[in-house]
Amino acid sequence: MIGKICGTGSCVPKGLWDNQKLMELVDTSDEWVRERTGVARRHIAENGETTASLAAEAALTALQNGGIRAEQVDLIITATVSPGDLMPNVSCQVQKKIGALNATCFDLNAACTGFLFALNTAQAYLARGIYQTALVIGAEILSDLTNWKDRSTCILFGDGAGAVVLRAGETGKYAQVTYSTGEKGNVLTCACRNQKRYAAGADAPETYMQMDGREVFRFAVSRVPEAIEELLKKEEMHIEQIAYFILHQANERIVRSVVKRLGANPDKFPMNMEEYGNTSSASIPILLNELNRKGMLRRGEYIVLSGFGAGLSYGASLMEW
Ligand code: ACO
């Protein structure tokens, strides 16, 4: 059995912070941020919006889009690095909010590769016939982990959630490659606040995201094309056969560099980080939902999803829409 996406959804907070707003917080400029990252605005959670509330809203719209009732869902996996609460997990909170009474629910943390790894995990359950209908969600409130005094990171991130509903069927295609390189873990870190609070103070810089931006950049522009090329070779497919490459929306320059290294058509690499910034595990499903809602994804066509992030980890998945 293979899971096919039958519905997509997304939800972003109402609060909108443009680059001018960040100029009030750190020494930066709209021009610098747009030029180096492609980001113009990001949505920031306010007024009680939580990772679980955004995730539940995205899940509901995905179910509606797919014509699936909440009781039909057997499995909910939420990828997140910013769950808000440690217990209960975000997936159980979503289950409660949407009434998915029959679902088994757990969260998964693989940072910006999280949605991809969650999709792979759901596909494995569907392939074995253990479950038939799965909700896969990427949801983040990164503003909570962002050091708003650090201009090298705060300009990048935003909040949001995206979700897909998978239904098991006899036909279709799904293939993946994944890698984790734990020895490079120190390149992108965020220490657990609950542990560090007593030792270093709640506002200690290490309890916010810290990043060697250049190192992450170098990692992404070499490993993402390698993973895509490996996947296509393994599946005996050519780059021309892929309708869209849906990459993690970290930085416009990273996407452009991947296009160049692959020698691909840039029109096949949609981007939306201008509007949302880097929403970590939510970025791929938010973009997927945008393309779906615009009618750009056609049944029978192939798409490639590719992510990279803290861990470090990265991967690519090929699926028939
Ligand atoms: N505004 C103005 N100037 C700035 C800013 C800012 N916000 N930030 C840094 N600068 C300055 C630096 O101080 C430096 O000045 P100097 O030359 O006088 O020393 C100069 O700009 C260049 O700094 P670099 O760090 O070399 O800038 P770079 O072009 O590498 O861009 C960036 C930095 C945008 C962070 C880039 O490295 C990047 O996007 N890296 C990838 C990050 C990423 O994608 N992370 C997410 C991974 S996914 C996850 O799991 C969360």
Side-chain angles (χ1 to χ4, degrees):
M1 303 295 276
I2 295 171
K4 264 204 176 174
I5 294 179
C6 64
T8 63
S10 69
C11 175
V12 292
K14 291 178 192 65
L16 196 58
W17 288 16
D18 59 15
N19 292 337
Q20 270 79 19
K21 162 84 181 170
L22 296 197
M23 287 162 63
E24 295 167 17
L25 305 176
V26 291
D27 180 15
T28 191
S29 67
D30 179 46
E31 194 192 2
W32 194 96
V33 179
R34 281 177 191 260
E35 202 178 292
R36 299 292 179 115
T37 71
V39 180
R41 291 168 289 279
R42 69 284 292 147
H43 293 254
I44 299 293
E46 294 166 347
N47 302 327
E49 287 165 314
T50 64
T51 307
S53 72
L54 300 180
E57 198 55 41
L60 275 177
T61 55
L63 289 176
Q64 219 168 30
N65 180 239
I68 304 286
R69 283 178 289 108
E71 311 87 73
Q72 290 175 270
V73 176
D74 305 308
L75 174 69
I76 303 175
I77 310 177
T78 304
T80 184
V81 289
S82 50
D85 304 314
L86 290 179
M87 293 184 284
N89 63 37
V90 172
S91 299
C92 279
Q93 293 183 53
V94 170
Q95 175 188 38
K96 186 178 170 188
K97 284 176 193 287
I98 69 173
L101 310 171
N102 302 310
T104 295
C105 308
F106 61 91
D107 293 357
L108 178 157
N109 173 349
C112 301
T113 327
F115 179 78
L116 213 58
F117 285 12
L119 192 61
N120 293 342
T121 307
Q123 288 284 7
Y125 277 111
L126 299 188
R128 288 288 303 275
I130 298 169
Y131 301 119
Q132 280 71 50
T133 306
L135 250 176
V136 182
I137 305 168
E140 306 286 3
I141 297 209
L142 294 180
S143 57
D144 199 31
L145 309 181
T146 300
N147 183 348
W148 294 104
K149 295 175 187 156
D150 175 9
R151 70 174 182 171
S152 70
T153 55
C154 76
I155 43 130
L156 293 170
F157 300 107
D159 302 336
V164 302
V165 191
L166 291 173
R167 286 281 276 173
E170 303 276 352
T171 59
K173 187 177 186 67
Y174 190 81
Q176 62 173 73
V177 296
T178 54
Y179 289 99
S180 297
T181 53
E183 74 274 11
K184 285 184 182 273
N186 62 338
V187 169
L188 183 44
T189 60
C190 182
C192 176
R193 290 212 201 146
N194 298 333
Q195 286 168 15
K196 293 277 172 182
R197 186 167 48 197
Y198 303 107
D203 268 341
E206 64 263 37
T207 65
Y208 295 105
M209 283 186 283
Q210 292 186 312
M211 179 181 71
D212 180 340
R214 284 184 200 183
E215 196 50 46
V216 176
F217 196 99
R218 267 196 291 272
F219 174 81
V221 298
S222 60
R223 298 304 178 90
V224 169
E226 274 171 27
I228 292 173
E229 278 174 341
E230 182 189 338
L231 179 65
L232 293 179
K233 194 171 171 203
K234 183 163 81 92
E235 295 306 307
E236 297 180 344
M237 287 188 70
H238 193 258
I239 209 156
E240 302 300 333
Q241 292 172 269
I242 308 301
Y244 290 106
F245 295 83
I246 298 164
L247 267 49
H248 169 47
Q249 300 292 290
N251 184 318
E252 190 181 309
R253 288 190 299 138
I254 291 177
V255 176
R256 295 208 187 286
S257 172
V258 171
V259 171
K260 208 166 157 194
R261 285 186 192 219
L262 288 171
N265 175 357
D267 295 345
K268 290 185 171 188
F269 289 71
M271 289 187 257
N272 66 3
M273 72 283 281
E274 183 180 11
E275 188 61 32
Y276 304 110
N278 175 351
T279 56
S280 190
S281 65
S283 87
I284 290 176
I286 289 174
L287 182 55
L288 204 52
N289 182 48
E290 277 187 8
L291 301 187
N292 187 27
R293 300 299 169 128
K294 286 180 187 162
M296 291 166 71
L297 303 172
R298 295 191 190 85
R299 289 286 163 211
E301 287 189 346
Y302 295 104
I303 58 172
V304 166
L305 315 179
S306 183
F308 62 91
L312 296 175
S313 59
Y314 63 103
S317 295
L318 167 72
M319 71 188 306
E320 187 185 319
W321 185 253

